[in-house]
Amino acid sequence: MPERYEVRYFGAGPALLPTEVLEDAAKALLNYDDTGLGLTELSHRSENAWDILKKTKADLAAFLDVPSNYEILFMQGGGSGQFSAVVYNLVGAWVERKKDELIEVLFGGKSEEEVDQDELVAELKKSIRSEMKLDYLITGSWSLKAYQEAIRLLGQDHVNVVTDSRAINTSGKFGKIADESDWKLSKNPAFVYYCDNETVDGVEFPKFPAALAPNKDGAGPIVVADMSSNILSRQVPIENFGVVFFGAQKNLGPAGITVVLINRDLLPPVTPQPSPALMRALGLPIAPVVLSYETADKNNSLYNTLPIFDVYIAGQVLKRLLLTFPNRVADQEALAKQKADIIYAALEEHPDIYRIIPDKSVRSRMNICFRVTMTKDIKDSEMEFLELAKDRGLIGLKGHRSVGGIRASNYNSVPLEGAVELAEFLRFFAKK
């Protein structure tokens, strides 16, 4: 049985956590802050729990430079839960905006109580049928799942495919992102969704898409991004997004919490959610209370029992990052690029042995996906590769079950030495 220090772990998630953080967390499991109780035993409504939540929010905001008009919510359900949550919450926000617009235009600005409710519902239904669209950029397996969930909740008529990378790839698989000039964005969609880094397919947006950027007046689409696998690894223009969400289990902490950064303009009192009665009358889905951004915000993320131990570990990771990197996420971004460059350079040196899957323009820094092609039987070649890598303490390199191949996940907790050792093994294996 190898010791922890004897292995380099490149698994895609749950991912590696800093050893120092885990050692500290192990003590907190038994006795936190001299309370005589472990963190998993303390009430989530205790003063200790509230303090952990407050500090973690503050450190996350500091590291990512989150603007003050954004709220940080801690929720559960992972990225998959957010595929549903963004639909429920932002469709409700769209309905509320459209309702106010109709009252102003068709009913002369009367108060909602003065308007004929049946007539208002009828007009809203017309607008929903003709105008309401949710825009999705399908660039990999996770954005495809998000798109499929939107269809399941609302039906195909309300979901628009802005771009599908499979259509521009000769293999019919993911691996590229279409030029923005070819995107088909809707007019005034409820939101535009994309996944910033696709863990399965090794595709990452090189920067925020210019087609989604706000204009000089600050107007633009409500952009939603899933950053589960590259958050904290590079600078993010948070102010360009309506919602950013991410599961903790890649760069922040253990699986169990999902973080949502949301512009307060999308929350009450600026944008209330329609009543359940109105949503039912319109034939639209109503958000379960545990997926309601409004509920999470009103209750300081503690409407139900939040796993405070997971929040604590995330807080310790952030504290360590802030101490390590004077320039915060900018320094972490430089290190992430350095590590990725080292690994990709080793792969590129041996094109007869390794085939990098995604196009160079969209290669992920976090999930480096490739095939071992030294023989006609790629599976045998990759089995040999994985076995020899394991013998050298390099583990977690097997690709996702849906696509196969090799995947080296280069998350923040993978040290520079780990990237160097993997690159050395890539060269060794190729020459062998």
Side-chain angles (χ1 to χ4, degrees), residues 319-331:
K319 184 183 295 184
R320 185 171 179 272
L321 288 172
L322 287 166
L323 289 172
T324 304
F325 298 115
N327 296 310
R328 298 176 296 187
V329 73
D331 286 346

Side-chain angles (χ1 to χ4, degrees), residues 130-151:
S130 62
E131 300 175 41
M132 193 179 77
K133 291 289 184 182
L134 281 57
D135 278 7
Y136 281 79
L137 281 65
I138 304 176
T139 56
S141 301
W142 288 109
S143 51
L144 176 61
K145 288 179 183 292
Y147 161 76
Q148 290 169 338
E149 177 65 356
I151 291 175

Side-chain angles (χ1 to χ4, degrees), residues 25-72:
K27 296 174 185 175
L29 264 177
L30 292 175
N31 186 353
Y32 175 70
D33 199 26
D34 294 326
T35 59
L37 292 173
L39 255 182
T40 58
E41 300 162 316
L42 290 172
S43 168
H44 63 297
R45 302 196 189 282
S46 67
E47 185 177 342
N48 283 312
W50 279 65
D51 188 52
I52 289 168
L53 195 57
K54 180 181 178 181
K55 288 179 179 177
T56 303
K57 284 185 178 184
D59 286 347
L60 177 59
F63 190 72
L64 276 183
D65 197 19
V66 178
S68 59
N69 61 321
Y70 280 72
E71 186 61 47
I72 298 174

